[in-house]
Amino acid sequence: VFGLSTVAQVVLGGGRFGQYISINLGFGIGVTLGILAAGGISGAHLNAAITLTQCLLGNLSWRKFPAYVVGQFLGSFTAAATVFSLYYDALYDYTKGNFTVTGPTATASIFSTYPAPYVSMLGGFFTEFMATMMLILGILVINDEKNNGAVKGTQALLTGILVLGVGMGMGLNTGYSINPSRDLPPRVFTAIAGWGMDVFTAGNHWWWIPLTAPVLGSLSGTLVYKLFIDFHNQPVLESGKEKGQPTVETS
């Protein structure tokens, strides 16, 4: 809701009620609050790509995967419906009732991501892949207690800042979906709410890129972290001996 509503305010306000940084901040705030809300219940699985990665690594039971992903998708779909209702009058005034995916008064990008006109499919895929890789690397850094993990209680805020940083640095090409659960449900909603099937055909059928690239980016980022950081960390012994002492066995 925070993320999509900031996009709506920037687009429909013609830049008078926020700029691109507003969108970055909105999504960062939304992620922070989402983690605070769901962290104690589910570990705050807000991203289907990361949930799938955790299942493949054996950190999460496959039995929970459908429930988590359905929850993510329902939340994102409901958020799109909420923002649509909140800004319906502004949407109608801005578009004169003609909801379009492309053109001077396009509004579909309020809800889902679309590539910039100059971006090729390969370039867009690589952008989403790299942005998600940086996201998962940051999340692993923040939550790795064997390394310099974040102070307890600050993980939600730091993850929100991480999402803010990803948006500020990697959002130009594709709008930084970095999350299948953030992109597909609002796209389905817009198809139902008046934008039609153009939401799936626009950008040379772009819709599948935000589904696949984040998954591969998450898996690759986790592999990079395991190979270059996690496998080289030494566990802290229960006896209280410091990391780095010769008696500590390496991973």
Side-chain angles (χ1 to χ4, degrees):
V1 170
F2 278 99
L4 298 185
S5 62
T6 51
V7 181
Q9 184 161 287
V10 170
V11 172
L12 302 177
R16 299 187 305 276
F17 298 92
Q19 302 295 330
Y20 179 68
I21 186 64
S22 304
I23 298 171
N24 304 147
L25 288 168
F27 276 106
I29 292 168
V31 167
T32 298
L33 294 174
I35 294 172
L36 289 172
I41 299 172
S42 68
H45 281 255
L46 310 178
N47 187 326
I50 295 176
T51 299
L52 177 60
T53 299
Q54 292 301 306
C55 286
L56 290 172
L57 291 174
N59 297 331
L60 180 69
S61 169
W62 282 102
R63 185 170 50 85
K64 294 182 178 181
F65 180 77
Y68 279 26
V69 172
V70 168
Q72 294 163 12
F73 274 50
L74 284 175
S76 190
F77 186 92
T78 305
T82 300
V83 173
F84 177 80
S85 302
L86 180 68
Y87 279 114
Y88 179 78
D89 291 337
L91 275 165
Y92 197 90
D93 178 71
Y94 183 80
T95 63
K96 309 306 179 193
N98 183 26
F99 297 162
T100 59
V101 179
T102 58
T105 59
T107 47
S109 60
I110 290 174
F111 301 92
S112 294
T113 61
Y114 295 86
Y118 58 82
V119 175
S120 65
M121 292 293 280
L122 181 59
F125 189 97
F126 183 68
T127 298
E128 287 293 323
F129 174 87
M130 284 303 304
T132 311
M133 179 182 282
M134 297 309 298
L135 173 69
I136 189 65
L137 282 171
I139 290 173
L140 292 172
V141 167
I142 290 168
N143 292 279
D144 189 353
E145 295 182 357
K146 292 191 302 179
N147 199 9
N148 293 321
V151 176
K152 187 174 182 180
T154 65
Q155 292 92 340
L157 177 60
L158 290 173
T159 306
I161 294 173
L162 170 64
V163 172
L164 168 65
V166 171
M168 291 176 66
M170 305 179 196
L172 177 64
N173 288 340
T174 62
Y176 73 109
S177 168
I178 59 174
N179 182 357
S181 309
R182 171 262 179 275
D183 194 84
L184 181 59
R187 196 179 299 273
V188 172
F189 174 80
T190 50
I192 297 170
W195 283 264
M197 295 306 293
D198 286 350
V199 300
F200 291 103
T201 59
N204 293 319
H205 297 82
W206 168 259
W207 69 273
W208 65 272
I209 300 291
L211 296 184
T212 56
V215 171
L216 294 177
S218 178
L219 291 170
S220 300
T222 302
L223 177 62
V224 167
Y225 194 84
K226 290 284 186 183
L227 289 176
F228 292 98
I229 297 178
D230 189 51
F231 287 162
H232 303 282
N233 269 346
Q234 296 174 334
V236 178
L237 296 181
E238 292 182 4
S239 62
K241 293 182 179 180
E242 296 294 330
K243 292 171 66 175
Q245 290 184 348
T247 54
V248 179
E249 183 180 353
T250 58
S251 300

